[in-house]
Amino acid sequence: MLRFNIRGENIEVTEAIRNYVEKRVSKLERFFDDERAGDATAHVNLKVYSDKNAKVEVTIPLPYLVLRAEETSHDLYASIDLVVDKLERQIRKFKTRINRKQREVSKEEVVNLFLEPKEEPAEKENELEIVRTKRLSLKPMDSEEAVLQMNMLGHNFFIFEDAETNGISIVYARKDGKYGLIETD
């Protein structure tokens, strides 16, 4: 059963808004396997800017991946619809990938390949002070799966344990739209 944590910035989260968010995001539950998803919580952040744009961010951490999407438009309800559509595309892409991988290895092994991100370090510009620390556990996967996970998280790099070499590797998004791979010894 999906739980909700809905916050508003520069907007009061009315009962109507809360009901609309819960109704739309709950439709994603049909994609979740109850025993693996457990009691997932959808973290929804609604922001209204002075130019009347509305931004909706949704993050749903699951045991086998983190779903995250954000959308901005002139209408709050349209932003909610757009972000749910984006999350649904992510889930379909992930499920397609799992189904392909299933032919090669068992489903349980594939699900275990995906990393649940904790926290990673971030730096302030022009300072060497560490202001945030994230922890992550590296799970074996191939570079294609790492790129998929990186894209689902919306990050521009992703650290993982290479399933073939058992070494730590990094995939990153290049400015030309392609991907790079850094392997360690």
Side-chain angles (χ1 to χ4, degrees), residues 10-11 21 26 29 37 43 48 54 62 65 72-73 81 83 88 94 110 126 128 144 148 160 178:
N10 299 330
I11 184 173
V21 167
S26 290
E29 282 185 311
H43 301 279
V48 176
L62 298 170
L65 89 144
T72 304
S73 73
D81 291 340
V83 82
E88 189 171 330
F94 176 75
V110 173
N126 300 329
L128 296 176
E144 280 184 20
L148 177 68
F160 66 101
K178 297 180 181 174

Side-chain angles (χ1 to χ4, degrees), residues 32-178:
F32 301 158
D33 181 347
D34 288 337
E35 61 186 56
R36 280 194 311 256
D39 290 325
T41 300
H43 301 279
V44 181
N45 197 17
L46 311 169
K47 297 179 186 177
V48 176
Y49 298 104
S50 58
D51 63 357
K52 303 299 181 204
N53 276 336
K55 180 177 185 179
V56 176
E57 301 170 347
V58 177
T59 305
I60 305 173
L62 298 170
Y64 46 92
L65 89 144
V66 175
L67 296 171
R68 185 180 188 298
E70 59 184 59
E71 282 293 334
T72 304
S73 73
H74 291 294
D75 178 18
L76 177 66
Y77 291 95
S79 294
I80 293 167
D81 291 340
L82 290 170
V83 82
V84 169
D85 291 344
K86 188 181 267 188
L87 288 167
E88 189 171 330
R89 283 191 304 274
Q90 284 182 10
I91 292 169
R92 288 182 191 279
K93 185 176 180 180
F94 176 75
K95 290 234 179 216
T96 300
R97 178 75 175 145
I98 290 292
N99 289 336
R100 279 191 204 136
K101 210 55 168 161
Q102 223 175 354
R103 295 178 194 126
E104 298 168 22
V105 294
S106 75
K107 187 174 187 176
E108 189 175 308
E109 288 174 312
V110 173
V111 170
N112 290 334
L113 294 176
F114 287 90
L115 155 77
E116 182 180 347
K118 303 285 192 258
E119 302 216 352
E120 52 192 65
E123 288 185 11
K124 281 186 178 178
E125 217 171 297
N126 300 329
E127 289 185 25
L128 296 176
E129 177 186 359
I130 297 175
V131 295
R132 187 172 174 190
T133 301
K134 290 189 175 186
R135 293 204 176 295
L136 53 93
S137 57
L138 302 178
K139 296 182 180 162
M141 65 179 71
D142 62 26
S143 57
E144 280 184 20
E145 293 168 44
V147 168
L148 177 68
Q149 184 70 15
M150 176 183 69
N151 288 338
M152 285 186 172
L153 292 171
H155 293 171
N156 55 5
F157 73 94
F158 189 79
I159 304 169
F160 66 101
E161 181 182 341
D162 192 312
E164 293 176 18
T165 66
N166 292 331
I168 305 301
S169 297
I170 302 168
V171 291
Y172 61 94
R174 296 169 37 103
K175 289 181 182 175
D176 63 6
K178 297 180 181 174

